[in-house]
Amino acid sequence: MSTTASRQVERPSGVKRPRLIRQASAWLPQRDPEPLPLQDLEESDALRWVDIYGGDLSNGEVLALLAPICRGGLTEKMVRDLITPQRFAAGGSYRDSNAVITSGFRIRHLGSGTNGSEATNGNGSPSVLEPVQMLVGDDWLLSCWLPARVFRGMDAPVPVADDSSSGLYLAVAKRWPTSNASTAEGLAKLVRRELSGGAVYRPPIN
């Protein structure tokens, strides 16, 4: 996972609200993953990965939405940890459960500023920090993206594209069939590997 940034950050403003369920998919070893609606994923015998945006969710909403996916393995405390922003990367387990939670963030380095100037963070380019929590159960994985932050000193709000999850999903899906992974933790390791690399986002040219 990416290391914690030392510089002060702020949330970007003026961006569209991300969709709630960003990805829901079933994963069988050595096969391409299958995107599924939540109601179909509930019945799947494969590993189940649901990726959500948690910026506007309450504990009760998440528990009602995702408990069927986890088949009794999701608790209110797990949900609170999943959707609550953490300042530093952390990890932990839960009593009477094999579930483990970790937190970190993805760093995306942007190109030029939206007004044509080079908006930088002092290191050559502006950066967007996207916090993400990962809760790993026996045969399920929940990931939750939290509101993104940008470095202070930028000359305009950054239009953060709602592609973090889709890009991550596609990268993991490409590696999965040949990875020999067969468990939720194996899937989570592939996700963490992809998160550890910075991504470049360049605003579209009008």
Side-chain angles (χ1 to χ4, degrees), residues 52 64 72-73 79 106 116 127 130 135 160 187:
I52 67 172
V79 168
R106 185 185 194 185
S127 297
E130 299 171 308
L135 183 63
V160 181
L187 176 58

Side-chain angles (χ1 to χ4, degrees), residues 21-27 34-38 41 49-51 169:
I21 302 298
R22 307 184 74 171
Q23 295 286 343
S25 49
W27 299 68
E34 181 182 8
L36 290 175
L38 281 185
L41 192 60
W49 177 16
V50 181
D51 196 28
Y169 170 86

Side-chain angles (χ1 to χ4, degrees), residues 92-168:
S93 56
Y94 298 90
R95 182 179 301 176
D96 301 324
S97 173
N98 292 328
V100 175
I101 192 167
T102 59
S103 62
F105 53 80
R106 185 185 194 185
I107 298 177
R108 295 207 291 160
H109 305 294
L110 287 80
S112 61
T114 57
N115 61 2
S117 65
E118 289 292 329
T120 69
N121 62 10
N123 295 318
S125 64
S127 297
V128 176
L129 281 70
E130 299 171 308
V132 59
Q133 312 275 59
M134 294 178 57
L135 183 63
V136 186
D138 290 329
D139 56 1
W140 49 267
L141 168 63
L142 304 179
S143 52
C144 178
W145 296 85
L146 300 165
R149 276 78 167 162
V150 297
F151 284 107
R152 291 189 183 277
M154 299 185 71
D155 57 354
V158 176
V160 181
D162 187 20
D163 66 354
S164 303
S165 180
S166 60
L168 179 63

Side-chain angles (χ1 to χ4, degrees), residues 7 11 20 33 48 51-52 62 71 77-78 103 106-107 113 117 125 140 154 174 178 180 191 201:
R7 299 193 59 172
R11 295 185 185 181
L20 173 59
R48 302 171 300 284
D51 196 28
I52 67 172
V62 176
R71 300 173 185 171
K77 176 173 173 51
M78 292 177 191
S103 62
R106 185 185 194 185
I107 298 177
S117 65
S125 64
W140 49 267
M154 299 185 71
K174 183 177 180 180
T178 58
N180 294 322
V191 176
Y201 167 68

